[in-house]
Amino acid sequence: SKIQTVRKSIRLKLIRHAESGNNEVYSKAHSLFHWGDSERFDEDGWLKYVNDHRSADPGLSSLGTKQAEALGEFLSEELDREASAPTYFVVSPMRRAVDTILPTIRALNERKHVKEEERCHVCVHALYHEVEGCHLKNKPAPGMNQTDLTSMIQSESFQDSRHISFVGFSGVHEEGWYSHGLGAETRTEAEERASKFYLWLCEYLDAQLKDESDDVFDAGVRKFHDKRRRTVVMLGHGEFMGYILKRIIAAFGYSVEHEGVPHRSSMVHFNTGVTKLEYFGAGRFLIMYSNQTSHIHLPHMKTG
């Protein structure tokens, strides 16, 4: 059999958002109403607190803002050192995800002597949202529309919006990304969405691999170790990232787990935890590490 000597790959980073207002709400509810204690847990009090304080599409908590800044300082330096320009970002349309990655984009776009064509490329993908979608008390909320998201992202040192694209949105520019929602998404629906997004991701990365630019190459060749490489950063959500990673590990053979079982197989990510992969085309991934949080230096800042 013929030995394949060249295996071009692209670096891929999956990152969970920083602590959101809702993360903070659930954490406080767990503490106040003794979550996990079978004898003292006050389910009614827990539900009322969550319903009274939860937001359909929250931004970051004060701690989450600090986590995002720490991630931005760490990640922008790493990408500036190792990644080719532009860096490609695939981002959830939820506010907490966009808020988390803005410090990184700002730092990369404000580098000295950066050319317009080297500014970050940002793809907001409507399928890359968290499980359950955008809802409040099980009533759907539309979420931000393309104008809202463009305004948020373009403020980070983009001279125009040509580096910002959208996938999975309706044809109506003014409609929010969850305008089709009927309420809280079920797990079965989320699993189906994860399959669609996984297939899109493979196609997106395969198209990148076909690029003949000199930043797409076989990273295993020693003489290229110091060369800047094509890099894709994905900013999403803990549970849905777990769905995607399960498909990466099991590929097309993955199936929906048992209905009604609350504890499922998953991949744990702290807020702003980073998982690094290499992609070799045709659905072939190599996981390099998972849930790396070296940018979070203080114990109290590690949440999720």
Side-chain angles (χ1 to χ4, degrees), residues 24-244:
E24 190 175 41
V25 166
Y26 282 107
S27 179
K28 288 183 178 179
H30 289 356
S31 176
L32 288 171
F33 301 100
H34 310 290
W35 177 276
D37 187 329
S38 59
E39 295 183 356
R40 296 199 297 164
F41 177 51
D42 178 1
E43 183 175 4
D44 292 337
W46 187 93
L47 286 170
K48 184 178 187 308
Y49 184 89
V50 168
N51 286 332
D52 288 347
H53 293 84
R54 184 183 177 279
S55 171
D57 190 15
L60 299 180
S61 68
S62 57
L63 178 57
T65 299
K66 295 177 182 177
Q67 291 171 339
E69 292 292 344
L71 174 69
E73 181 178 353
F74 168 83
L75 188 59
S76 63
E77 290 180 0
E78 181 181 79
L79 293 171
D80 190 32
R81 182 176 62 251
E82 300 179 0
S84 58
T87 301
Y88 295 83
F89 291 85
V90 178
V91 183
S92 158
M94 303 191 91
R95 187 179 301 275
R96 57 192 182 271
V98 179
D99 282 343
T100 298
I101 204 59
L102 288 185
T104 302
I105 293 173
R106 181 189 313 123
L108 289 173
N109 281 346
E110 291 181 352
R111 292 170 295 178
K112 292 182 179 179
H113 311 302
V114 64
K115 301 175 182 177
E116 183 63 20
E117 62 269 20
E118 294 176 338
R119 295 178 187 272
C120 304
H121 283 210
V122 182
C123 171
V124 183
H125 202 303
L127 291 182
Y128 200 46
H129 62 80
E130 181 57 301
V131 176
E132 291 192 3
C134 195
H135 70 95
L136 194 62
K137 298 180 181 179
N138 206 30
K139 294 182 179 180
M144 292 185 288
N145 61 31
Q146 295 184 43
T147 301
D148 299 328
L149 288 159
T150 298
S151 179
M152 283 183 70
I153 298 167
Q154 192 173 339
S155 65
E156 303 307 321
S157 305
F158 287 105
Q159 294 181 10
D160 56 50
S161 60
R162 60 178 167 158
H163 298 300
I164 306 169
S165 62
F166 296 88
V167 176
F169 284 69
S170 70
V172 181
H173 201 77
E174 292 76 19
E175 285 190 353
W177 60 270
Y178 203 63
S179 297
H180 67 284
L182 301 176
E185 176 190 51
T186 67
R187 277 188 166 175
T188 299
E189 290 168 341
E191 294 277 14
E192 293 173 353
R193 174 168 56 89
S195 294
K196 293 177 182 178
F197 181 81
Y198 168 76
L199 292 174
W200 174 88
L201 177 61
C202 291
E203 292 173 357
Y204 172 78
L205 297 174
D206 284 338
Q208 297 260 6
L209 278 176
K210 291 178 181 177
D211 194 327
E212 296 300 325
S213 301
D214 62 2
D215 65 337
V216 180
F217 53 83
D218 184 349
V221 178
R222 186 175 299 276
K223 66 178 181 179
F224 287 148
H225 280 184
D226 296 329
K227 192 173 181 180
R228 295 186 180 188
R229 304 180 54 217
R230 184 73 59 93
T231 302
V232 176
V233 177
M234 299 173 58
L235 205 295
H237 307 267
E239 187 170 357
F240 193 68
M241 281 168 52
Y243 286 20
I244 300 303

